Amino acid sequence: MFNWDEEWNISFAGCGFRSIYYLGALSCILERVPQLVHGASKIGGASSGCLVAAALAVGIPIDQFCVEVLTMAKEARKHTLSVFHPSFSLLRIVRDSLLEKLPEDAHRRASGKLCVSLTRLADGKNILVSEFDSREELIQVLMCSCFFPVYCGFIPPSYRGVRYMDGALSNNMPLFEQRNTITMAPFSGESDICPREGTFNFFEVHYGNVSIQGNTGNVHRICTSFLPPRIEKLAEICHNGYMDALRFLRERDLLVTQSFSSGLMLEMITAKPACCELVMEAAQTKDPTNGLSPPQDAHWWLDQKVIENLPVGIKKILCEACRDSHHSVTSSFQFTEFLPVEAFFYLLTVFLLPIELMFFFAKR
């Protein structure tokens, strides 16, 4: 049972591109028990988790954050080596996004509310930062917490003249030790909101205050944290976060009874899907004589079951991103989804990469 009489915190573990899991979880909580987020004393995070925490602390809508994650993933997947391609800079994209989205008084809103985990380069000690003197200083702290060595470059950014690395390297779950902290992680383990793995767990690892079970599911989750999966998979991860948060609310008896009144349920059932405009638009471009049902034929880019429980705003964003992603790839290249063809293209990439790198550095 959750104790509303005590102060509580929320903490997000670093997880790279799988931070979209948090957006699904938060959309569920904000839809059903918004006070759980708005009433939190502190909101902490490390690496990509601190970006989610910062968005909540300064009041950036989660649907805007969802757009940024999808845009970043699509940009990374355009390159031969994804995030490791020399022309792709994850930190630069993050900084540009922060400069664009953070309000001018973001440092005032975040001070005392936001808790960011940093790892000091000199000695590897963990530092928690909760006070920010300026908007630029807030951005510096967030950039430091997101810097994973080699993956993001070789020269760590600095904050107040000291260089720091990814906070996940020393404390991936800030505020974990404090009482009544709600922990979130997209890896199956002992976090309050996390996936539940039905397979056999060989062992369990506690790293940076995050419990991660040793199973094949978590191996895949860790890999897709660094290398962005397809947009359809990101939509599925977002929906999984929603369902895991819903299970947490049920287990803690936090669901508001009024939310399930017959009137509201009837409204949810009869409401049109968020992407119905896209379905109708695509259906009008189809040949009505082809014998196919317009709704099924027109909405081939994303299965509705993958996002069926998400709120309207998030659902629409994911649907549009999947449609745009499919439309950007011509039908002549859809056969590359087959494993033998995909393996051939990977081998071809190995031979073409040196030429591409030479061209890139010559252009620089």
Side-chain angles (χ1 to χ4, degrees):
M1 179 68 69
F2 188 81
N3 189 353
W4 291 98
D5 296 329
E6 296 183 4
E7 289 187 351
W8 68 89
N9 309 304
I10 303 177
S11 185
F12 301 94
C15 57
F17 288 96
R18 292 191 77 94
S19 59
I20 200 168
Y21 175 91
Y22 299 139
L23 307 183
L26 289 171
S27 66
C28 176
I29 297 175
L30 291 172
E31 179 183 59
R32 298 167 183 266
V33 194
Q35 179 59 22
L36 197 61
V37 173
H38 299 319
S41 177
K42 284 190 176 183
I43 303 176
S47 194
S48 61
C50 77
L51 299 179
V52 179
L56 291 177
V58 304
I60 297 177
I62 60 173
D63 56 348
Q64 291 186 18
F65 194 96
C66 184
V67 172
E68 296 299 322
V69 174
L70 296 174
T71 301
M72 195 180 306
K74 287 191 290 185
E75 183 65 26
R77 290 179 60 84
K78 290 180 182 178
H79 299 284
T80 308
L81 290 179
S82 186
V83 297
F84 296 104
H85 195 277
S87 64
F88 181 84
S89 175
L90 189 62
L91 280 186
R92 184 186 67 244
I93 296 176
V94 171
R95 181 176 178 82
D96 292 344
S97 177
L98 291 173
L99 288 172
E100 178 185 357
K101 300 298 182 183
L102 287 180
E104 292 300 324
D105 63 340
H107 58 290
R108 297 190 184 93
R109 301 187 191 184
S111 292
K113 181 82 170 181
L114 175 64
C115 182
V116 181
S117 174
L118 305 177
T119 301
R120 192 159 56 198
L121 178 64
D123 55 7
K125 182 180 179 181
N126 180 254
I127 304 295
L128 297 180
V129 182
S130 293
E131 298 294 332
F132 313 94
D133 294 337
S134 64
R135 179 173 177 267
E136 178 61 29
E137 187 173 274
L138 171 60
I139 294 176
Q140 290 176 359
V141 172
L142 296 175
M143 294 284 290
C144 288
S145 185
C146 291
F147 180 85
F148 197 92
V150 182
Y151 180 76
C152 292
F154 296 94
I155 302 177
S158 62
Y159 158 63
R160 294 185 177 178
V162 180
R163 297 196 180 277
Y164 293 91
M165 301 182 297
D166 196 320
L169 297 173
S170 56
N171 184 3
N172 200 19
M173 193 73 79
L175 309 175
F176 170 83
E177 68 284 350
Q178 296 190 17
R179 181 179 175 84
N180 228 16
T181 293
I182 301 172
T183 56
M184 296 192 196
F187 314 109
S188 62
E190 297 180 354
S191 299
D192 293 319
I193 299 178
C194 69
R196 294 287 188 267
E197 196 71 48
T199 58
F200 177 75
N201 299 307
F202 298 99
F203 56 88
E204 185 170 332
V205 177
H206 289 266
Y207 178 77
N209 293 331
V210 178
S211 166
I212 302 178
Q213 296 173 344
N215 51 56
T216 55
N218 273 342
V219 172
H220 178 262
R221 294 183 185 104
I222 292 174
C223 291
T224 51
S225 295
F226 291 96
L227 299 175
R230 294 187 303 169
I231 303 300
E232 299 89 340
K233 183 61 179 180
L234 290 173
E236 182 181 345
I237 294 171
C238 184
H239 185 264
N240 291 341
Y242 183 98
M243 299 307 296
D244 290 338
L246 183 60
R247 182 182 62 245
F248 166 78
L249 296 178
R250 286 172 176 164
E251 291 175 351
R252 298 293 185 94
D253 295 326
L254 290 171
L255 289 177
V256 181
T257 307
Q258 290 81 353
S259 296
F260 297 94
S261 62
S262 58
L264 181 58
M265 287 299 294
L266 180 61
E267 181 182 349
M268 293 172 62
I269 294 174
T270 58
K272 294 192 300 182
C275 49
C276 60
E277 297 88 353
L278 302 178
V279 174
M280 295 304 297
E281 176 187 335
Q284 292 173 0
T285 63
K286 297 291 182 178
D287 184 0
T289 63
N290 61 7
L292 296 175
S293 172
Q296 295 177 355
D297 181 48
H299 200 266
W300 54 268
W301 57 80
L302 180 63
D303 186 357
Q304 279 291 321
K305 294 181 180 179
V306 175
I307 58 173
E308 59 182 348
N309 294 299
L310 292 171
V312 170
I314 299 292
K315 188 183 295 186
K316 185 176 180 65
I317 291 171
L318 293 173
C319 185
E320 289 179 343
C322 290
R323 183 190 63 165
D324 295 341
S325 177
H326 277 288
H327 285 195
S328 64
V329 180
T330 60
S331 58
S332 60
F333 287 96
Q334 291 182 3
F335 73 98
T336 58
E337 294 295 328
F338 294 101
L339 184 59
V341 180
E342 188 176 2
F344 170 76
F345 274 92
Y346 274 122
L347 292 176
L348 186 63
T349 298
V350 173
F351 291 103
L352 292 179
L353 181 61
I355 301 175
E356 187 175 355
L357 290 178
M358 289 176 61
F359 175 78
F360 169 77
F361 286 116
K363 187 177 179 181
R364 289 285 297 269

